[in-house]
Amino acid sequence: MQLEKVKDLTRQILSKVQSDSAMELFNNLEQGKMLRSQLILAICDSEAAYNLCAIVELIQSASLLHDDVIDGSDLRRGKPSINAIFGNKSAIMLGDILYSSAFFELSNFTPLVIQSIAQSVSCLSIGELEDVKLEASFNANADKYLNMIKLKSASLIAASSECAAILANAKEPKKYYEYGENLGIAFQIIDDILDITQDREKLGKPALSDFKSGKSTLPYIYLYDEMDAIDKEWLVSLFGQELDFDNFTKLKEKLSASPLSRARAKAKEYGDKAAQIAKELGNNELQSMVTAMLERDV
Ligand code: FPP
Ligand code: MG
């Protein structure tokens, strides 16, 4: 119900550019869990908060449109991506239209909100740039991975949380930023774990897609860390490749030992920090969001 209202608002904002072509492309987009809107509405329930949700969802959709072009992904949420159906050029331009429509609407807000969201889009883009750089060869450095996901995935979640707090006239918006940042990092680690543990049906794409497309996420970094020189060579030789049945099975088996539980523990570390902040802020809903996020299977 609340999220339906946000979806309606995104459509209303986009309709202001008066482009049937843009609306037609937009109608092919699948909305996801709308985590950022859920977070905003858990902090502030006002008309302005709903507008902020719609703005953030438009930015999020724009970033995924661009990301699918950058990653050459044909699937998004189990359905053909916009770039797969209409080509890269249309996907990029739709992303630009969503992004600029969102910023037009954002100009109605107080400068603190505008600056926080604008800064987070720079962070998203810098994180994506870092991700592209890391794909050049197998990355075995956990700190580089964690810094990249902080920028690429956690920054817009953190800014959404902070801006909702500003709209609610909360005392310490920076604490809400910190909450969102920790939640966002945990969220991306869990996402990267699910890419390994879930099947095609749940993921909407084949399992181990990250590794095959050149992303060495935390479980792979931990696996590398635990391997001897010969196995390290084997792992690196598979990076960015289609996997045959034997290598797929062997890789999944090796990840299922300690690397996946170490990665889960790392996600929990960030989740616990977020939960602690939510507790200090006295917001039970924010606390439950952490638990649901850590326990999710999609
Ligand atoms: C998904 O990563 C991508 C992101 C979380 C952010 C991408 C950000 C940009 C492309 C910059 C956007 C800039 C503007 C101006 C809108 P992933 O590939 O790891 O996840 P996936 O499996 O969902 O594709
Ligand atoms: Mg991608």
Side-chain angles (χ1 to χ4, degrees):
M1 168 66 192
Q2 280 183 317
L3 297 181
E4 279 310 310
K5 184 172 166 178
V6 175
K7 283 185 199 168
D8 280 351
L9 280 170
T10 56
R11 215 163 283 283
Q12 278 176 39
I13 294 172
L14 181 61
S15 66
K16 290 185 189 173
V17 299
Q18 298 186 327
S19 162
D20 292 342
S21 316
M23 193 53 93
E24 206 182 306
L25 288 171
F26 185 70
N27 286 336
N28 285 277
L29 283 184
E30 277 289 309
Q31 281 291 349
K33 296 175 276 292
M34 301 175 80
L35 168 76
R36 293 153 195 82
S37 292
Q38 291 183 39
L39 174 54
I40 291 169
L41 296 173
I43 297 169
C44 184
D45 189 357
S46 67
E47 279 312 303
Y50 276 95
N51 277 324
L52 180 66
C53 290
I55 289 164
V56 167
E57 294 302 337
L58 284 167
I59 295 172
Q60 171 65 7
S61 296
S63 75
L64 294 181
L65 282 163
H66 287 183
D67 178 68
D68 284 341
V69 172
I70 293 166
D71 287 346
S73 294
D74 292 339
L75 287 172
R76 170 66 57 191
R77 301 190 178 110
K79 290 178 95 186
S81 56
I82 296 290
N83 48 305
I85 312 174
F86 302 99
N88 285 347
K89 293 178 187 177
S90 298
I92 292 170
M93 293 322 299
L94 178 63
D96 291 343
I97 295 167
L98 300 190
Y99 177 58
S100 43
S101 301
F103 266 76
F104 181 84
E105 211 57 32
L106 189 64
S107 65
N108 295 317
F109 284 78
T110 173
L112 275 180
V113 168
I114 301 173
Q115 284 159 11
S116 171
I117 298 290
Q119 205 171 8
S120 77
V121 181
S122 300
C123 289
L124 279 188
S125 310
I126 295 165
E128 184 81 352
L129 204 57
E130 200 53 36
D131 197 12
V132 170
K133 244 172 75 187
L134 289 178
E135 282 172 16
S137 57
F138 183 88
N139 167 48
N141 185 319
D143 286 340
K144 281 190 185 168
Y145 162 86
L146 289 168
N147 186 53
M148 182 275 288
I149 66 167
K150 181 165 94 178
L151 291 163
K152 182 185 79 167
S153 307
S155 58
L156 186 57
I157 300 176
S160 302
S161 179
E162 177 184 36
C163 291
I166 295 172
L167 296 183
N169 285 319
K171 263 191 263 133
E172 295 175 287
K174 282 290 167 220
K175 278 218 152 213
Y176 287 83
Y177 186 95
E178 231 184 287
Y179 166 84
E181 187 169 85
N182 284 294
L183 181 80
I185 294 173
F187 176 87
Q188 187 60 48
I189 298 174
I190 296 288
D191 225 55
D192 294 343
I193 291 172
L194 294 175
D195 183 80
I196 296 165
T197 56
Q198 298 296 18
D199 56 19
R200 182 191 289 265
E201 208 184 311
K202 276 248 162 82
L203 291 168
K205 58 184 175 183
L208 310 196
S209 285
D210 284 342
F211 190 68
K212 286 186 271 185
S213 66
K215 293 182 198 283
S216 54
T217 58
L218 201 53
Y220 298 95
I221 295 171
Y222 287 152
L223 176 61
Y224 182 86
D225 177 50
E226 291 165 13
M227 283 176 146
D228 61 25
I230 293 172
D231 275 351
K232 275 188 166 80
E233 208 178 305
W234 169 77
L235 180 65
V236 172
S237 77
L238 299 180
F239 176 68
Q241 307 291 323
E242 259 316 309
L243 300 171
D244 64 25
F245 180 77
D246 285 350
N247 279 326
F248 179 95
T249 315
K250 190 171 156 194
L251 186 54
K252 238 187 132 163
E253 218 175 82
K254 287 189 178 291
L255 287 160
S256 302
S258 118
L260 277 172
S261 40
R262 275 177 75 190
R264 276 197 200 95
K266 196 70 183 172
K268 191 170 177 309
E269 239 177 69
Y270 285 99
D272 286 347
K273 277 192 228 166
Q276 180 55 36
I277 299 169
K279 197 172 162 198
E280 284 161 27
L281 293 168
N283 188 323
N284 291 339
E285 215 177 320
L286 292 187
Q287 262 183 285
S288 328
M289 280 185 79
V290 177
T291 321
M293 198 276 303
L294 288 174
E295 287 170 3
R296 78 199 165 98
D297 62 1
V298 272

